[in-house]
Amino acid sequence: MSKILQNPDHLPKSLPLLKAAYDRGLNTWDTANVYSNGVSEIIIGKAIKKYNIPRHKLIILTKCFGAVGEEPSVRGIFYPTEIRASKDYVNQAGGLLNAAVYFNL
C-alpha cells in the first residue's frame, strides 16, 4: 500500500481493496504509524466507516517504535540523529520499552 499512501489520488483505489480483502475473509490488517505518518490508519478508518465493517470483526495490528514527523517527509528511519536531538520528538520513539515510560513517572 505504500504507493497508495504517497499519492492521495490512490485513496479511492485503497478502500475497495480493503473491502474486497474483508469480504474474502482477510480480517487481520497490519499497519503502523511509521509506514505513512498515520495515513494508513486513516485509510483503514475510512474503509471501516464507508463499508460499515463491524470493528469487532477486525484484528488491526500496529507497532509503536519509530518517531513520526509532523510532515510526511520527516521519518525516523531517515533522520534518526536529528529526531533524537529535537525537543519536538522527546519520548516519541522507542515504543513501550522506552525507558522514559518507566522511569519518568
Side-chain angles (χ1 to χ4, degrees):
M1 279 182 49
S2 63
K3 287 186 180 182
I4 290 170
L5 301 174
Q6 293 170 4
N7 185 342
D9 295 335
H10 293 307
L11 178 63
K13 296 177 184 177
S14 64
L15 300 182
L17 178 69
L18 289 169
K19 173 70 166 120
Y22 176 76
D23 289 345
R24 287 162 178 77
L26 299 173
N27 69 336
T28 302
W29 297 351
D30 182 31
T31 186
N33 59 353
V34 295
Y35 291 167
S36 59
N37 281 28
V39 176
S40 60
E41 287 87 348
I42 291 169
I43 290 173
I44 286 174
K46 287 181 183 289
I48 291 169
K49 185 174 183 178
K50 179 176 180 175
Y51 298 113
N52 293 318
I53 298 172
R55 174 58 187 90
H56 69 279
K57 297 206 175 207
L58 290 174
I59 299 168
I60 300 176
L61 307 173
T62 191
K63 293 103 185 134
C64 54
F65 182 78
V68 175
E70 293 178 17
E71 298 293 325
S73 61
V74 178
R75 297 181 65 190
I77 194 166
F78 299 130
Y79 304 102
T81 305
E82 293 85 348
I83 286 179
R84 278 193 296 277
S86 172
K87 292 180 184 176
D88 293 334
Y89 298 99
V90 172
N91 295 333
Q92 289 191 18
L96 297 176
L97 298 179
N98 186 333
V101 172
Y102 298 103
F103 300 114
N104 292 337
L105 298 176

